[in-house]
Structures are given as structure tokens and as C-alpha cells.
Amino acid sequence: MLSIKNLHASIEGTPILRGINLEVKAGEVHAIMGPNGSGKSTLASVLAGREEYEVTEGEVFFKGKDLLELAPEDRAREGVFLAFQYPVEIPGVSSTNFLRTAVNQVREYRGLEALDAVKFLTMMKEKMKLVEIDQKLLSRSLNEGFSGGEKKRNEIFQMAMLEPTLSILDETDSGLDIDALRIVSNGVNQLKSKDNATIVVTHYQRLLDYIVPDFVHVLYKGRIVKSGTKDLALELEEKGYDWIKEAIDSEATV
Amino acid sequence: MSKDNQILEEFTSKEYEHGWSVNYEADEAPIGLNEDIIKWISTKKEEPLWLLEWRLKAFKTWKTMTEPSWANVKYPKVDLQSLRYYSAPKQSNKPKSLDEVDPELLQIYERLGINLNEQKKLQGIAVDAVLDSVSVGTTFKATLSKLGIVFCSFSEAVKEHPDLVKKYLGSVVPMTDNYYAALNSAVFSDGSFCYIPKGVRCPMELSTYFRINAANTGQFERTLIVAEDEAYVSYLEGCTAPQRDENQLHAAVVEIYAAKNAEVKYSTVQNWFPGDKNGKGGIYNFVTKRGICAGDYSKISWTQVETGSAVTWKYPSCILKGDNSIGEFYSVAVTNNYQQADTGTKMIHIGKNTKSRIVSKGISAGKSQNSYRGQVQVMKRADNARNFSQCDSLLMGDRCGAHTFPYIDINNSSAKVEHEATTSKIGEDQLFYCNQRGISTEDAVALIVNGYAKEVLNQLPMEFAVEAQKLLALTLEGSVG
Ligand SMILES: Nc1ncnc2c1ncn2[C@@H]1O[C@H](COP(=O)(O)OP(=O)(O)OP(=O)(O)O)[C@@H](O)[C@H]1O
Ligand SMILES: [Mg+2]
């Protein structure tokens, strides 16, 4: 479904991603871990098409299409969803209104007719249950004044509404309380199918108890330096990143 | 909620969509401005002598006045001698009802989406349509007159209700008030008149649609709204003009009188031709709008969505004379390309316990300049006066400007005046967030801007709100990305 080959990207001339290779197949869950500043959010942003980042080398194919050729909105319409590490506030625009616009533009792209108000609200009610989100939150301005946890929950609610094929969750677990973590993870699990895939970026093994990954990758200095199964996450939890950093850094100096 | 999508789907053309003109046979005054022209207009309109004298007096004063230069706008001087002050579509005989109105004129309004045909009942809104200088027709007249409501063209009011006109004309905006108001008083050709008798709530929105059609013609309308004790009316004003290379002058006067417990809501969606991308052409819009809350517990509320005109100079104001009276001003002013707007309000607190509220949302894009100018004045005997002002500016790009000029003048220590101001930019991250959800940049801008202006748009009647949202999006098209 997603094929990343030798991806290099920089921002304002500073290289951040330095040769990422990753294959994600339908039905899989990949976890990406790694120390602060290693480039996890950058990778997510580049995949989503944020313009500030310049791709200097490499290629990305998504469902057979050259992803890097597509405008950000078209990537979204093709089924790429990014749950932001820091969701953005849009004053005066309710979540409901925002999502209605989004859902209908995505549907139009896919040749489906727009949902009328009744159908849209029915769909919303159904998806609200999935992440146990409050109606009141959705009638407020999008993310404005939301608590950290509310913002994250709202991201997953949007994901449920947009039914993406590839979801990238950037530290969705940070800011969620213990109960919310369980609820949101349950929601993500219910949205999983053999036709879609998930990439979860996280610092904590705890999330991976709920959303069990098929593969775990460690990103360091803009490269995937280690890949493994969910046991790798447990090992990292126990030992931290130093042993990996040391191995890589000594390699680089030799 | 469905509003947004409907609107977003509709805006596809980047050009000013009302930029067409129609050739109709016109009845015109000679070009130029002098006493003879004023007499010509007055005779043409078969006006009573008192009105001609009133006009001539205004003209006399106007000649001693100079064009104001304090506004934050720059434009070449208008040569007032090169304009035509009266242009009326030629109608063989004066129409007695809409059925007799020239179908070609009705078609002009059809093209604007305004239906003057009573049978089709424009969403229950009574419309008085003004083309160039003359009222073309008023719908729903019979329905309204049963309630004692007068809603007709200004010329008709002069003939049918001379006492009312004489009593209120110039009572809120004196003929000598300012340069443009004086000019208007001298040469105004038509406009709308509305009178709501005591205790009557007007059951439908009253609406005037102004369109400039003829070239080199100034449009000087005069609107007068009178609400007697306990009366209520909501009044809408819409404006369009054809696209021309030369600038055209528009200098209207609107007066509102609210008696005890009366309430008047006045909403404008102004979409005069703004000039092209290089700043050529466009309407100069120099308007004087003022209301007086003459009676206790009366209320006047101005809502405006200003998207058009090359230069806008406009300050809808409230004189809060009655005790416990309320004045409100809600404004969205958008400027793009080379447009310039200097707009705001004046709230003059004279009575006790008077309240005013100002919400101004400026949006500037391109190389435009957008200024808010507001004055809150609390007079000596205005105990417990309250004002709240909120002035926000939204910038798109870094070649435009937003300016705020609040003036506060307080002469009573019990007054409470609050002023809040913010300036923000449409953020890249907001746009990217929308894009990431599948929303195109253009629609994202529309969404963000409409969200920003929501507090004001919410004040508009439903049908107008839809049009206003659409206009905001259209005006800003292509300004990002
Ligand atoms: N505009 C910029 N100019 C220079 N460096 C930048 C810029 N933006 C981001 N970076 C750097 O890019 C690196 C990667 O950042 P990124 O946000 O991808 O890290 P991350 O792995 O998501 O970290 P975290 O775990 O803290 O979320 C960081 O060192 C960051 O400081
Ligand atoms: Mg990050």
C-alpha cells in the first residue's frame, strides 16, 4: 500500500530525513519510535504533503500512485490521514461544519454524492460512539480551547469520519488520560480492517499494549536504524535508546 | 450548516459576476453640477417647492465645504462637473403597478437574482429596486399598506406622504452634516422610504436593491426609515454595479428614526464593483448612515458586509438619545487587490443607561488597505453608559495593511467603555490542517474567513447570510497560495 524508498527531506536547507525506507501493506500496523527530534513528525508531515519540507531524494508510492506528486488535499482524498501531534485551532468553525466540508469534498473526489444533513448527522452519531466524544465538543469551534486530550480524541473522531486507508497517528497517546487512552485505542482498533493500514508514532510501549503493532521501527537522525516486532518496543521501554544511539554513532565515526 | 457547502460549490468564477451593463433608453440630465441642474432634477420629479428650496440650500452650503481628507484612503479627485446627476430608465408612462414596468428593466433585476414579480414572492421579502437613480418598482405594497406600513420609492413618498418626508428628512443627517451628505441633499434623485406606524411589527424583511447601470453617472440615493413607538422593522440593502474602467461615484444618505421602544435592524451587503486586479475602475462609495434612538428603550442595529467598491468611506452611527436605548454595529469589511476601506461607527451616548456594542472584523488581502475608525462618545448626562468594542483584523499575505483608529471621548465618570483589538494572520498550519482533511485551499480560506466573521454574519437574515458568505469567499479568491 505504502512504499517509501530512500526518502530524503530537508527544511530550510537543513536535512532532517536522510534515507527512509519503509514498506507498509494493507492490514498492517507499524509503530515508529525514536528519540525527540529524530524526525518522526517530519516523516508524517512529508507524507501528508506539508510544503515547508523539501523532498531532495527518494520516492513514495501509495496504492500505486506517486504520492509526492499529489497536492496535500488530494493525498487526503486518496485516503491518507494524519492525526496531528499538535492539532490546529480554527476559531468560529464548528467541528461539525468543518467535517461536513471535508467529508463531502473527499466523497466528491471519489465520485460519491454529497451527504445531506440527515445522512451526515446519522453518520456522525454512529462515529461519535466509537471514540465516546461529546456532542457539545463538536458544536464548539474546532479545537479552540479544547484540552490536550480532547484535541487528540477529536483527531481520532475525524479519522473515523473520513475512513482513510492509511492513518498516521503522531503521538496521539500523549495527553490522553488512562481511560481516554483505552477508549481511543479501542476506537482505532475497531476502525482497523484488512484493507487499511496504520502507522503509530509513539514514545510509550503502553499504547502498543492496546494497538498491537506488527512491526516496530526506531527512527534516529532521520533514518530507520532498527526494525523488529512488538518485543522491540518492550526492549526500548526497558533499556532506552542509548544502546541504539551508541551503535549507530560509533558506526558513523568509524 | 448546509449553507457553507452550497456556497462553496457556487463560487467558480473569479471575475466580478455582476459586471455587465444593459443598454436601455435613458432620460438624462445634462452633464455638470449647478443650480440649474438641481432645478432640472426637481422639476423632472415634479417636486414641491419646499423640497427644491431645501436642495438649493444644501447646494449653497456644499459649495463652501471642502472634501474631507482625514480618512486613510488615497484616490484621485473626482471631477464632479463631469458627472451626470440624473439618469432614469425611460418608461413611456409612469407604471402604476409592477405589471406595467418595462420587462427589460425587470430582466436586469432577474439577472441579479432579484425577482420583482409579486406572484413569485421573493422568499417573502418586499423589494424596492433602484436602478441608477430611480426606483423601478416595489413589491408587496398592498400587503404592507394593510398594516399601515409605507414602503415605497422616495419620490413617491414625497408625493403621497409629504408631511412625513418633510418632518423627518434631514432630521438625523442634517443637510450640512458633511461634504458628501450636502452633495447628496442637493442632487439626490431617488431611494427608499419606509414608515412603520405605532405598534406594528413589520411581518417581512424590507429590502432595497441598488444598481448603477449608466456610465458617468453618480448615484445619490436617499433612504429614510421611520419606526414609531413599539414598531419593528428589519431592512436590507444590496448593491451591485457594472464593471467599467472609470471610477464611479456613489454618495448615499441613510437616516433612521426610532421612537420609544422601537427597533430597527439595518443590514447591508455591499458589492459594488471593486475595480480590477490592477486597481483600475471601481466605485467610490462615500456614504453617510446614521440612526437616532430618539425614544426611550429604542434600538438600532447596523450590520454590514462590505466586499466591494474601490474606495469605501462609511460610518453607520447611532445617536443614543432616549434613556436605555441601544446601538449596535456589526461589520465585516473585506479588501483585496487595491481596494481601500475606511469604515467604522460612531456611538453617541446622550441618554441615561444607554448601551452600545461594536463588533468590527476587517479582512485584508492583496495590496489593500483596511481601516477601522470608531468613535465612542459619552455625554455629560449619560449616566451609566456602556460600550463594548471589539475590533479584529485578519491579514492575508504581507503586502496589505490593517489599521484601527478608536476615539473615545467620555464626559461622565459612571461610563464603562471596553475596547478589545486583535490582529491575526491566516496561518499556514490552519490551511495545511484543512488540506490534510481533503479540503482545497480556496475552500479552506472560505471556511476560516467565515468562521472569523461568524459573529457578524449571524446577525444577518438567513438569505442574506448565504449571499454574504459567498461574497466573502469570492472576494478573497486567489489571495492565498
Ligand atoms: N524550521 C526548522 N528549521 C530547522 N530545523 C527544524 C525545523 N523544523 C524542525 N526542525 C528540526 O527537525 C528535527 C526533527 O523534528 P521532528 O518534529 O520531526 O521530530 P520528532 O521525531 O517528531 O520529535 P518528537 O518526539 O519531539 O515529537 C528536530 O531536530 C527539529 O528541531
Ligand atoms: Mg513529533
Side-chain angles (χ1 to χ4, degrees):
Chain A
M1 169 184 292
L2 179 75
S3 169
I4 305 174
K5 291 208 174 83
N6 191 31
L7 183 65
H8 288 250
S10 52
I11 184 156
E12 287 161 17
T14 313
I16 311 285
L17 301 184
R18 301 186 301 166
I20 303 262
N21 292 292
L22 184 66
E23 292 287 330
V24 178
K25 296 201 181 66
E28 291 178 349
V29 175
H30 289 244
I32 295 181
M33 305 183 79
N36 293 133
S38 57
K40 303 180 298 293
S41 295
T42 303
L43 175 62
S45 296
V46 169
L47 292 177
R50 182 137 202 167
E51 264 154 35
E52 285 93 322
Y53 297 93
E54 193 196 350
V55 174
T56 50
E57 231 185 298
E59 54 182 39
V60 181
F61 279 85
F62 176 63
K63 296 193 297 189
K65 283 190 182 150
D66 185 348
L67 192 69
L68 302 178
E69 284 293 301
L70 297 175
E73 60 270 30
D74 286 339
R75 298 183 194 198
R77 294 162 183 174
E78 285 287 343
V80 175
F81 180 89
L82 171 60
F84 285 69
Q85 182 173 4
Y86 305 107
V88 177
E89 302 186 355
I90 305 187
V93 179
S94 69
S95 289
T96 309
N97 199 1
F98 174 77
L99 268 175
R100 175 114 194 262
T101 309
V103 166
N104 281 334
Q105 293 211 0
V106 169
R107 287 180 67 89
E108 192 186 334
Y109 182 84
R110 297 179 186 166
L112 301 167
E113 66 184 77
L115 292 181
D116 61 33
V118 177
K119 286 202 182 105
F120 178 79
L121 288 175
T122 313
M123 178 178 177
M124 234 176 68
K125 284 259 151 60
E126 183 192 314
K127 306 288 186 183
M128 274 162 55
K129 280 189 216 133
L130 213 63
V131 284
E132 296 180 23
I133 198 164
D134 195 346
Q135 172 81 56
K136 279 197 210 104
L137 207 59
L138 300 179
S139 48
R140 276 166 54 183
S141 287
L142 182 62
N143 289 329
E144 198 184 30
F146 284 23
S147 74
E150 286 169 341
K151 284 183 183 170
K152 295 302 177 73
R153 195 185 287 232
N154 190 29
E155 290 292 287
I156 301 306
F157 171 66
Q158 293 184 28
M159 169 181 154
M161 289 295 288
L162 291 163
E163 300 174 335
T165 30
L166 175 68
S167 306
I168 306 163
L169 314 183
D170 192 356
E171 294 194 28
T172 300
D173 52 340
S174 66
L176 290 177
D177 67 43
I178 298 160
D179 293 331
L181 180 68
R182 184 175 36 80
I183 293 162
V184 167
S185 306
N186 272 340
V188 172
N189 285 334
Q190 285 182 58
L191 292 168
K192 245 168 42 183
S193 81
K194 62 174 176 27
D195 301 317
N196 60 27
T198 315
I199 297 175
V200 287
V201 175
T202 183
H203 285 297
Y204 306 106
Q205 135 70 22
R206 197 183 53 205
L207 174 71
L208 304 179
D209 285 341
Y210 293 107
I211 305 173
V212 182
D214 299 295
F215 301 95
V216 175
H217 310 278
V218 178
L219 197 65
Y220 180 54
K221 291 190 175 169
R223 280 195 201 103
I224 290 179
V225 294
K226 200 166 183 61
S227 295
T229 62
K230 65 179 190 320
D231 296 338
L232 177 57
L234 288 168
E235 197 178 349
L236 291 171
E237 179 92 347
E238 195 182 313
K239 299 205 279 189
Y241 290 112
D242 282 352
W243 58 287
I244 295 181
K245 284 184 186 172
E246 270 162 32
I248 301 300
D249 291 342
S250 63
E251 227 172 81
T253 48
V254 173
Chain B
M1 187 172 58
S2 65
K3 268 196 277 182
D4 271 47
N5 282 302
Q6 188 187 331
I7 289 145
L8 298 179
E9 276 156 27
E10 274 174 38
F11 74 98
T12 41
S13 102
K14 278 192 200 289
E15 298 296 319
Y16 179 71
E17 65 172 329
H18 300 299
W20 40 268
S21 69
V22 175
N23 291 319
Y24 55 81
E25 257 193 284
D27 205 351
E28 295 175 333
I31 280 175
L33 177 58
N34 53 51
E35 281 200 3
D36 287 343
I37 294 283
I38 292 167
K39 284 177 189 156
W40 190 98
I41 295 172
S42 193
T43 313
K44 188 90 211 160
K45 304 185 73 62
E46 300 164 6
E47 283 176 357
L49 193 62
W50 68 263
L51 191 48
L52 174 61
E53 279 167 357
W54 194 80
R55 285 174 181 277
L56 291 172
K57 202 168 149 205
F59 183 62
K60 217 170 174 180
T61 328
W62 176 77
K63 281 194 289 189
T64 67
M65 300 169 102
T66 46
E67 202 172 340
S69 56
W70 44 261
N72 188 26
V73 292
K74 291 190 187 71
Y75 57 93
K77 270 220 155 33
V78 185
D79 178 7
L80 294 169
Q81 289 303 339
S82 71
L83 292 180
R84 196 185 298 286
Y85 287 84
Y86 185 85
S87 167
K90 210 173 219 161
Q91 295 173 336
S92 8
N93 270 312
K94 290 244 170 69
K96 296 228 163 41
S97 75
L98 276 175
D99 300 338
E100 292 174 31
V101 174
D102 189 344
E104 202 170 316
L105 294 178
L106 290 180
Q107 261 174 23
I108 295 181
Y109 280 92
E110 296 268 348
R111 282 177 72 174
L112 290 167
I114 298 156
N115 198 324
L116 293 183
N117 195 331
E118 210 158 340
Q119 265 67 50
K120 292 186 190 160
K121 308 221 170 170
L122 182 91
Q123 296 149 328
I125 300 174
V127 181
D128 182 26
V130 177
L131 182 68
D132 288 332
S133 312
V134 172
S135 170
V136 176
T138 309
T139 59
F140 284 109
K141 204 172 274 179
T143 320
L144 293 171
S145 70
K146 266 186 218 133
L147 293 164
I149 295 172
V150 181
F151 178 48
C152 62
S153 72
F154 205 92
S155 329
E156 199 180 325
V158 170
K159 292 207 177 84
E160 309 284 325
H161 310 277
D163 295 344
L164 282 177
V165 175
K166 202 170 175 177
K167 181 169 173 196
Y168 293 103
L169 178 68
S171 69
V172 190
V173 179
M175 61 162 82
T176 54
D177 189 76
N178 67 69
Y179 183 82
Y180 304 114
L183 177 62
N184 175 290
S185 302
V187 302
F188 74 90
S189 29
D190 213 335
S192 298
F193 176 79
C194 166
Y195 177 83
I196 317 287
K198 190 173 169 180
V200 172
R201 274 187 78 86
C202 184
M204 60 180 82
E205 309 279 348
L206 299 186
S207 166
T208 301
Y209 223 96
F210 294 109
R211 177 167 170 86
I212 298 178
N213 199 58
N216 298 320
T217 304
Q219 183 153 342
F220 305 91
E221 337 86 27
R222 190 109 203 163
T223 303
L224 176 55
I225 300 173
V226 178
E228 294 284 23
D229 293 357
E230 277 93 39
Y232 166 85
V233 65
S234 168
Y235 192 94
L236 317 174
E237 173 201 286
C239 332
T240 62
Q243 201 157 341
R244 293 188 194 284
D245 285 352
E246 323 86 53
N247 295 98
Q248 279 168 282
L249 179 63
H250 175 254
V253 172
V254 176
E255 298 180 274
I256 300 178
Y257 181 93
K260 197 175 150 200
N261 277 312
E263 181 177 349
V264 178
K265 265 180 83 103
Y266 192 104
S267 314
T268 309
V269 174
Q270 186 265 112
N271 182 29
W272 299 115
F273 178 51
D276 68 12
K277 285 206 172 60
N278 305 311
K280 201 167 162 51
I283 305 288
Y284 291 160
N285 190 27
F286 303 134
V287 178
T288 306
K289 292 185 167 178
R290 191 176 305 150
I292 182 164
C293 285
D296 295 350
Y297 296 97
S298 56
K299 180 175 174 183
I300 293 177
S301 182
W302 298 99
T303 304
Q304 60 173 27
V305 175
E306 302 283 315
T307 65
S309 295
V311 180
T312 301
W313 182 99
K314 180 178 172 186
Y315 316 90
S317 304
C318 297
I319 302 169
L320 304 171
K321 184 159 170 265
D323 290 346
N324 300 293
S325 61
I326 299 174
E328 291 176 336
F329 174 74
Y330 295 94
S331 168
V332 178
V334 191
T335 51
N336 197 359
N337 299 319
Y338 287 87
Q339 278 178 277
Q340 307 173 63
D342 193 303
T343 182
T345 185
K346 260 190 223 171
M347 293 291 174
I348 300 165
H349 295 255
I350 300 173
K352 293 184 177 53
N353 306 315
T354 45
K355 281 197 207 101
S356 63
R357 181 179 176 83
I358 299 170
V359 178
S360 162
K361 303 269 180 177
I363 302 167
S364 12
K367 294 180 181 160
S368 67
Q369 295 296 327
N370 203 324
S371 304
Y372 166 81
R373 190 179 302 276
Q375 183 178 2
V376 176
Q377 194 171 10
V378 177
M379 306 300 229
K380 255 208 190 87
R381 68 168 205 94
D383 294 338
N384 297 312
R386 297 279 176 276
N387 162 268
F388 174 76
S389 304
Q390 164 109 32
C391 304
D392 298 330
S393 310
L394 185 69
L395 298 169
M396 300 173 74
D398 44 22
R399 289 173 306 166
C400 52
H403 318 271
T404 9
F405 305 100
Y407 307 94
I408 295 170
D409 174 17
I410 296 178
N411 302 297
N412 182 312
S413 58
S414 65
K416 276 210 183 101
V417 172
E418 283 174 80
H419 181 91
E420 284 176 15
T422 66
T423 301
S424 52
K425 275 192 160 196
I426 286 200
E428 284 295 320
D429 47 352
Q430 284 178 326
L431 291 174
F432 179 66
Y433 190 79
C434 294
N435 287 158
Q436 212 303 304
R437 298 305 185 242
I439 302 171
S440 69
T441 301
E442 226 145 63
D443 293 345
V445 170
L447 206 61
I448 293 166
V449 164
N450 281 317
Y452 164 78
K454 190 176 171 190
E455 219 182 321
V456 175
L457 297 177
N458 279 349
Q459 299 294 324
L460 292 171
M462 182 70 174
E463 298 77 9
F464 247 36
V466 173
E467 180 167 349
Q469 290 194 327
K470 198 168 80 183
L471 272 176
L472 287 186
L474 260 171
T475 310
L476 292 169
E477 225 174 289
S479 54
V480 164

